[in-house]
Amino acid sequence: MPKPTTPRGRPPVPSPARPSPARSSRPGPARAGKDVRREEPREEPGKLFRVAGLSAVSALFAHDAARVERLFFEERLKAKTGDFCKAMAAARKPYRMVEADELAKVAGTVLHGGVVALIAPRPVPAFDIEAAKRWAVDGQPLLILDGVGNPHNLGAILRTAAFFGLRRVVVSDHPGQALPSESAYRVAEGGFEWVELYRAANLPAVLKRLRDSHRVAGTALGRGRAAVTDPAVLAMGDRPAAIVMGNEEDGLPPATLAACEDVLTLPGTGRIQSLNVAATAAILIHALAKPG
């Protein structure tokens, strides 16, 4: 492994990001069972994300090493990070072996897995309905999130999507919708590098147009409308499924649900009213995704 280099001297260790007191909204404590994004503030534009853990960092170097601006690792992972260091040296970017306590400061957590990369966030492109029509040819379903506000849930959904080979996930412009963040990356374990994420504006209007190429189903309890209870039914026609999921507190907004052709409900024992959105997504992705 090449000797670690530090262009222009030893790079400063970044401290965990803290919101500016003037911008902090100081929300109250989240109530149990609510799908709200209150764990961390939104990252400032241009801020580097801290991505921790060997799986997530490996995915970064495999798919888009140019996004990695700095690399820090513990001695115990020296052998496993050798190729990463070579890539950083070739790009003339700083990398450094550090002690565990220093790495915890870099990561902002002791749960860093021994390696941390600082990356430039990847922009989320606008969803293109015409492109979606072309995607429909491969039979892959779409997963659409409308107001899923907890970044941990977003990360878990991206991890599941990557595991089962779901290529694309769409998020809405709902004001509470979680977007890529450090906490989402941490939970995704590299999932963001395998799944393309898009953002759709005016989702109800988009869904009405999407029905030309996809069978659009919204997850809900089905009150007042006949509900599909077997997700496999949605894959039986000549259009792939587009599954729309909302947050746990309010579910899908009425306008979004009205734009869906079907209501999809997973029946249970009735002891618990519903599943966590990430658990529901895992069941649906497993049922509908076509690895490849």
Side-chain angles (χ1 to χ4, degrees), residues 198-239:
Y198 299 88
R199 195 173 191 191
N202 191 2
L203 187 61
V206 167
L207 295 179
K208 291 176 182 178
R209 296 182 61 195
L210 188 63
R211 287 160 60 166
D212 292 338
S213 58
H214 291 73
R215 184 171 177 180
V216 180
T219 56
L221 295 178
R223 295 167 181 161
R225 290 177 63 176
V228 175
T229 57
D230 181 0
V233 171
L234 301 174
M236 292 180 178
D238 57 356
R239 295 172 296 161

Side-chain angles (χ1 to χ4, degrees), residues 18-19 35 39 61 67 83 130 137 157 169 173 182-183 197 199 201 223 239 241 260 278 287-288:
R18 291 184 175 89
D35 185 39
E39 293 87 341
F61 277 95
R67 289 173 59 212
D83 288 341
E130 296 302 321
V137 175
I157 290 169
V169 172
D173 61 353
E182 289 182 346
S183 53
L197 192 67
R199 195 173 191 191
R223 295 167 181 161
R239 295 172 296 161
C260 298
L288 294 170

Side-chain angles (χ1 to χ4, degrees), residues 240-280:
I243 306 298
V244 192
M245 306 185 71
N247 65 55
E248 290 180 353
E249 182 175 359
D250 301 314
L252 287 174
T256 299
L257 189 59
C260 298
E261 297 172 80
D262 297 287
V263 173
L264 175 62
T265 298
L266 294 178
T269 63
R271 296 170 183 170
I272 300 296
Q273 184 182 47
S274 63
L275 290 171
N276 170 271
V277 66
T280 302

Side-chain angles (χ1 to χ4, degrees), residues 37 39-40 149-157 178 181 183-184 186-188 278:
R37 184 158 55 97
E39 293 87 341
E40 299 179 10
N150 189 317
H152 295 169
N153 281 335
L154 177 63
I157 290 169
S181 64
S183 53
R186 186 162 57 246
V187 176

